């Protein structure tokens, strides 16, 4: 699902090669059998304990493997790795610590990610022994998904194009499973679906904002979903946005020469006439802050300020690819927030599509503006049975929760529980934060219905953002807001989230959709 583009840069019409997707090692599944030679990946428990096929491998080496683990003082801590070459009958062995034992699907994904990174560049295909985890049905499938998630790379702009034959390294990762055929089938369907969604989101987020205009974003979506059954993509341009009275979305984008778009991706895999679940994503293709301009330090990262929209779009791609039995729609509110002679000013008043008026006290609180209109339009158009806004909305949520949890805001106890559970299941963790009456009060304006920021100190910042968006929730709409400002961009790198774009929301929304499918 990589997009190829060429870009006209100024009058030179210079063409810039899109980074080529470098790591596409073939993934295979084989019936589990005793490893006795070649290139292998083995799990190691606490204090270097070898069990199952790993123990068999040790026997095949006449104890050379366990001896090496002892000499290296390998403790078997989760994620610890050690590589041996020419060990007994094996050409290479990668040990991966599994601690007290793996429990969940995300543990297995991490294991698979370590297997992929630890065997990169090996001369031959590696056979991966997959440990059992809790009551996960197809352990090898999860490990394989993790391998792919972890080896995502966006590549480099302008580097020579790698042709497809070179791009796919010859050595495969072969996951051993007692149910190899089932594991492979599940990987081909659900696994590839999740990977397509996450990769699409990551590619969109990684793309620099000189290329990533709202119009470009809309075109990528049209391209990615072209010809997909049961999917309808609708794109509203700036004139339609203005004519529909979306003053908040229009106003946010009016300082940019690259006008806003509203994109809807509707997927109908459920019953006819069944109300969809709606994911409404913040899609600021670059956030300078506008006239309330941001300091330069780290501003480049604001090319990821469309991560909510990317996660929403990616989730629909996943649902469509795995033919989920659910109706769902992503609504992407796309605009670029720039300072300009035509930009909105602090103190301006905008009228949103619902008729509600907004006093803009800070043009850098723009995500809530585009979401107000996106959310209202989504409700008017689709009457969803659940609406979710997802946004890199506030620095405050990063202060509160850091880079471990996204903020979850809802007045609905059951939805809170469902989302917390889904987040844990897929490793996109959430933490619930409050939206109180006092916070809702703090954004009342003297000259309009609401203002887009509270007075300094009057309310917690992330909650004030949520309270603002909740002003556009219709009484009958079950609603959840997610603030992913701390989660959208990975600075350090984790096993299944390499440095850079995370694609947060794809796995979570896929899991949420499964909850609705089950009902
Ligand atoms: N896109 C930013 C929030 C953000 C900050 C995302 C850091 C990712 C990392 C958002 O538009 C913003 O500027 N929020 C302001 C709101 C404030 C003016 C009320 C903020 O958090 O400072
Ligand atoms: Mn901003
Ligand atoms: Zn922003």
């Amino acid at each position: 699902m990589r997009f190829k583009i060429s870009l006209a840069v100024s009058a030179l019409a210079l063409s810039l090669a899109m980074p080529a997707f470098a790591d596409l090692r073939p993934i295979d599944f084989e019936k589990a059998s005793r490893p006795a030679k070649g290139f292998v990946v083995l799990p190691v428990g606490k204090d270097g304990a070898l069990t199952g096929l790993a123990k068999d491998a040790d026997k095949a080496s006449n104890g050379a493997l366990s001896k090496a683990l002892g000499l290296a003082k390998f403790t078997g801590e989760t994620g610890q790795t050690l590589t041996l070459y020419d060990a007994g009958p094996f050409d290479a062995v990668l040990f991966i610590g599994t601690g007290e034992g793996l429990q969940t699907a995300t543990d297995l994904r991490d294991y698979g990610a370590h297997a992929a990174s630890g065997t990169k560049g090996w001369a031959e295909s590696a056979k991966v022994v997959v440990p059992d985890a809790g009551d996960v049905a197809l352990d090898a499938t999860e490990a394989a998904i993790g391998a792919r998630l972890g080896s995502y790379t966006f590549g480099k702009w302008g580097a020579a194009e790698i042709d497809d034959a070179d791009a796919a390294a010859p050595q495969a990762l072969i996951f051993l499973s007692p149910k190899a055929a089932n594991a492979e089938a599940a990987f081909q369907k659900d696994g590839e679906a999740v990977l397509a969604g996450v990769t699409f989101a990551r590619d969109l987020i990684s793309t620099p904002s000189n290329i990533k205009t709202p119009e470009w974003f809309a075109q990528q979506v049209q391209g990615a979903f072209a010809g997909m059954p049961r999917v309808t993509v609708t794109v509203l341009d700036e004139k339609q946005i203005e004519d529909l009275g979306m003053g908040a979305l229009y106003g946010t984008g009016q300082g940019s020469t690259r006008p806003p778009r509203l994109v809807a991706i509707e997927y109908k895999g459920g019953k006819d006439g069944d109300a969809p679940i709606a994911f409404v994503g913040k899609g600021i293709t670059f956030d300078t802050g506008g006239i309330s301009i941001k300091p330069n330090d780290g501003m480049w990262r604001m090319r990821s300020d469309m991560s909510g929209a990317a996660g929403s779009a990616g989730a629909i791609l996943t649902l469509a690819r795995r033919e989920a039995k659910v109706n769902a729609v992503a609504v992407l509110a796309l605009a670029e927030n720039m300072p300009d002679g035509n930009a909105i000013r602090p103190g301006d008043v905008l009228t949103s599509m619902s008729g509600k008026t907004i006093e803009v006290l800070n043009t850098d609180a723009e995500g809530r503006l585009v979401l107000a209109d996106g959310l209202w339009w989504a409700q008017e158009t689709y009457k969803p049975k659940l609406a979710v806004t997802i946004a890199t909305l506030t620095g405050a949520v990063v202060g509160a929760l850091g880079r471990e949890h996204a903020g979850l805001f809802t007045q609905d106890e059951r939805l809170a529980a469902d989302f917390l559970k889904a987040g844990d299941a897929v490793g996109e963790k959430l933490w619930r934060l409050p939206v109180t009456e006092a916070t809702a009060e703090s954004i009342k304006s003297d000259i309009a219905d609401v203002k887009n920021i509270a007075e300094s100190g009057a309310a917690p910042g992330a909650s004030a953002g949520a309270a603002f968006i909740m002003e556009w929730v219709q009484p009958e709409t079950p609603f959840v807001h997610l603030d992913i400002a701390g989660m959208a961009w990975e600075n350090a790198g984790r096993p299944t989230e390499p440095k850079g774009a995370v694609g947060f929301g794809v796995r979570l929304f896929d899991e949420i959709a499964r909850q609705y499918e089950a009902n």
Side-chain angles (χ1 to χ4, degrees), residues 287 294 364 366:
D287 182 13
K294 288 181 181 296
D364 197 11
E366 83 298 338

Side-chain angles (χ1 to χ4, degrees), residues 118-422:
T119 59
K120 216 167 147 186
W122 277 14
E124 279 173 43
S125 299
K127 292 202 174 175
V128 183
V129 171
V130 181
D132 269 333
D135 44 25
V136 178
L138 295 169
D139 309 76
T141 304
E142 298 300 339
I145 292 170
R148 272 282 161 80
L149 285 171
S151 40
Y152 173 84
T153 150
F154 186 62
K156 279 194 193 193
W157 288 89
E161 285 226 33
I162 304 168
D163 81 27
D164 287 350
D166 290 350
Q171 14 78 284
L173 277 171
I174 302 163
F175 292 87
L176 303 183
S177 167
K179 292 173 268 178
N182 295 354
E184 175 147 29
F187 180 75
Q188 298 299 350
K189 191 157 188 241
D190 293 358
E192 293 283 19
V194 166
L195 291 164
V198 172
T199 302
F200 182 50
R202 287 179 180 176
D203 285 350
L204 290 167
I205 297 163
S206 305
T207 299
S209 296
N210 54 330
I211 291 158
K212 183 169 53 192
T213 66
E215 183 187 18
W216 178 91
F217 195 136
Q219 286 164 354
Q220 299 312 310
V221 169
Q222 285 171 321
F225 288 92
M228 279 196 108
R230 293 193 277 275
V231 177
T232 315
V233 176
T234 308
V235 179
L236 305 185
D237 65 16
E238 71 272 30
K239 174 139 197 324
Q240 293 166 298
I241 287 167
E242 194 177 19
D243 290 349
L244 282 164
M246 298 188 191
L249 174 58
Y250 189 85
T252 301
Q254 79 184 39
S256 171
T257 54
R258 296 117 60 100
R261 291 287 182 271
L262 190 94
V263 175
I265 316 165
E266 200 184 356
Y267 168 67
K268 284 186 166 167
K271 288 198 201 84
D272 247 356
D274 203 2
I277 50 182
F279 307 118
V280 183
K282 169 178 174 180
I284 299 299
T285 57
F286 195 78
D287 182 13
T288 63
I291 297 299
S292 314
I293 198 162
K294 288 181 181 296
N296 178 57
D297 195 28
M299 198 208 274
W300 63 270
R301 219 173 269 119
M302 285 302 118
R303 72 166 179 240
S304 64
D305 209 23
M306 34 55 73
S307 292
S312 304
I316 301 293
L317 187 59
T318 296
L319 296 179
R321 283 283 293 260
R322 71 172 177 81
E323 299 173 327
K325 301 250 171 308
V326 70
N327 294 334
V329 59
V331 173
L332 321 178
L334 308 173
E336 186 176 52
N337 188 20
M338 297 289 273
D340 177 76
N342 196 44
I344 54 168
R345 293 147 288 257
D348 283 2
V349 174
L350 304 175
T351 304
S352 69
M353 186 187 179
S354 77
K356 218 168 240 204
T357 53
I358 305 163
E359 184 186 10
V360 179
L361 289 180
N362 189 324
T363 64
D364 197 11
E366 83 298 338
R368 59 199 74 182
L369 301 179
V370 303
L371 288 174
D373 278 335
L375 176 58
W376 190 261
W377 184 85
Q379 292 170 102
E380 291 292 288
T381 311
Y382 301 106
K383 302 277 172 241
K385 62 179 170 193
L386 164 68
V388 185
T389 51
I390 176 167
T392 46
L393 204 74
T394 66
V397 85
V398 191
L401 301 177
R403 305 193 170 276
E404 225 177 324
H405 295 91
L408 162 72
F409 305 83
T410 181
Q411 308 298 27
D412 185 317
E413 299 300 319
R414 215 209 65 202
L415 281 175
D418 288 350
F419 271 72
L420 291 170
K421 188 170 160 222

